[in-house]
Amino acid sequence: MLDFSMFGGVVLVFAIALLFSMFRVLREYERGVIFMLGRFYKVKGPGLIIIVPVLQQMVRVDLRTIVMDVPTQDVISRDNVSVQVNAVLYFRVLDPEKAIIQVENYLEATSQLSQTTLRSVLGQHELDDMLAERERLNADIQEILDKQTAAWGIKVANVELKHVDLNETMVRAIAKQAEAERERRAKVIHAMGEAEAAEKLAEAARVLSHQEQAIQLRYLQTLTEIAGDKSSTIVFPIPVDILERFTKANS
């Protein structure tokens, strides 16, 4: 009689445990991929769902956006410059069924694919493009990843290049290039200023050549500038008409 009561107690405990194992609670951002005897049955959730023990199994899938850090990759640009680049990837699961059935581990698969795509895309561009056109490169990488991960039920929302690290030799070379560019611009601006000044002087000379009074006024202004308050220079003004007479006499 004692053995029967003990057996009944064990059966009761097992039945209660089995009953509790039938109920699962999925959060709002979770879905459960249900398999019936190894075959796909349906996707359930969120909320309270019932699973038939032994006959059914459930795999939880998180639908929230996942932020994945892409490890630093050694990339050789199209102009043969070696750089180290790392990025961050934003993606989420849109189809839980495909994410579980079509790929063994969608997180690992997405990580490996992002690394190879990063090296492939950046290797087709020069170093200046990596430094100056990050938005376009981000869009190119995101588009390629999104197309390839669509078969896994994954949507790649964004890709951002975080760092493009150069060795010290390349940093010094870029600094020299920037300095040379600044010097070139300075010389061009100086030459343009000289050209504009020459044009203005030629125009002023043409105006003065047609007005004798203007020449005299300019002569007097020059005398005023030379004979300043603190100047020790002695100026002997000679009228311009006298100089013209001497010039005509000599000719």
Side-chain angles (χ1 to χ4, degrees):
M1 190 70 179
L2 183 60
D3 293 339
F4 180 78
S5 62
M6 291 181 59
F7 177 76
V10 171
V11 172
L12 181 61
V13 171
F14 179 77
I16 294 175
L18 190 63
L19 181 63
F20 276 103
S21 66
M22 294 176 60
F23 299 99
R24 305 289 177 85
V25 177
L26 297 177
R27 297 179 178 89
E28 184 65 31
Y29 55 83
E30 292 180 327
R31 298 294 183 272
V33 180
I34 309 301
F35 293 90
M36 175 76 76
L37 296 177
R39 297 179 62 88
F40 172 74
Y41 177 59
K42 65 168 59 175
V43 176
K44 291 185 177 182
L48 178 65
I49 64 173
I50 298 176
I51 302 296
V52 180
V54 181
L55 297 180
Q56 294 181 340
Q57 298 83 34
M58 185 190 73
V59 180
R60 291 177 183 263
V61 179
D62 196 324
L63 302 185
R64 292 177 295 181
T65 298
I66 299 174
V67 182
M68 177 178 292
D69 185 64
V70 181
T72 302
Q73 303 295 309
D74 292 325
V75 179
I76 299 179
S77 63
R78 192 171 64 179
D79 51 349
N80 296 323
V81 178
S82 179
V83 296
Q84 291 186 334
V85 183
N86 66 337
V88 60
L89 179 68
Y90 299 86
F91 68 96
R92 61 189 297 262
V93 176
L94 292 182
D95 192 335
E97 176 186 351
K98 292 182 179 180
I100 297 301
I101 296 177
Q102 299 299 328
V103 62
E104 179 182 2
N105 186 334
Y106 66 89
L107 292 175
E108 181 66 21
T110 304
S111 175
Q112 294 297 326
L113 182 62
S114 63
Q115 296 177 38
T116 57
T117 303
L118 182 66
R119 292 195 299 267
S120 176
V121 172
L122 295 184
Q124 300 175 9
H125 295 79
E126 296 182 356
L127 177 62
D128 292 342
D129 295 336
M130 298 183 194
L131 298 176
E133 299 184 7
R134 290 195 180 187
E135 293 185 2
R136 181 169 65 87
L137 295 178
N138 292 338
D140 292 343
I141 298 173
Q142 184 268 334
E143 182 179 0
I144 294 174
L145 287 176
D146 191 38
K147 289 181 179 179
Q148 296 184 355
T149 57
W152 305 337
I154 293 174
K155 172 64 178 178
V156 178
N158 195 16
V159 177
E160 292 289 341
L161 295 177
K162 291 170 56 178
H163 300 291
V164 179
D165 296 330
L166 306 173
N167 55 41
E168 295 182 359
T169 303
M170 200 63 208
V171 172
R172 289 195 296 268
I174 293 176
K176 291 181 180 179
Q177 180 183 2
E179 183 179 358
E181 178 65 19
R182 288 194 296 269
E183 291 180 357
R184 183 188 70 83
R185 293 180 181 179
K187 291 180 180 179
V188 170
I189 294 173
H190 179 72
M192 292 175 61
E194 292 290 340
E196 292 179 1
E199 292 179 359
K200 296 298 182 181
L201 288 174
E203 182 179 355
R206 285 194 297 270
V207 174
L208 291 175
S209 64
H210 295 293
Q211 297 290 336
E212 295 182 358
Q213 294 82 0
I215 296 177
Q216 293 179 1
L217 291 175
R218 183 62 179 167
Y219 173 72
L220 294 176
Q221 182 181 359
T222 304
L223 293 179
T224 303
E225 293 176 357
I226 295 175
D229 295 336
K230 298 180 180 180
S231 176
S232 60
T233 304
I234 300 175
V235 180
F236 296 95
I238 301 176
V240 177
D241 55 350
I242 297 177
L243 294 177
E244 291 181 352
R245 292 175 185 177
F246 278 109
T247 304
K248 292 178 179 179
N250 291 332
S251 61

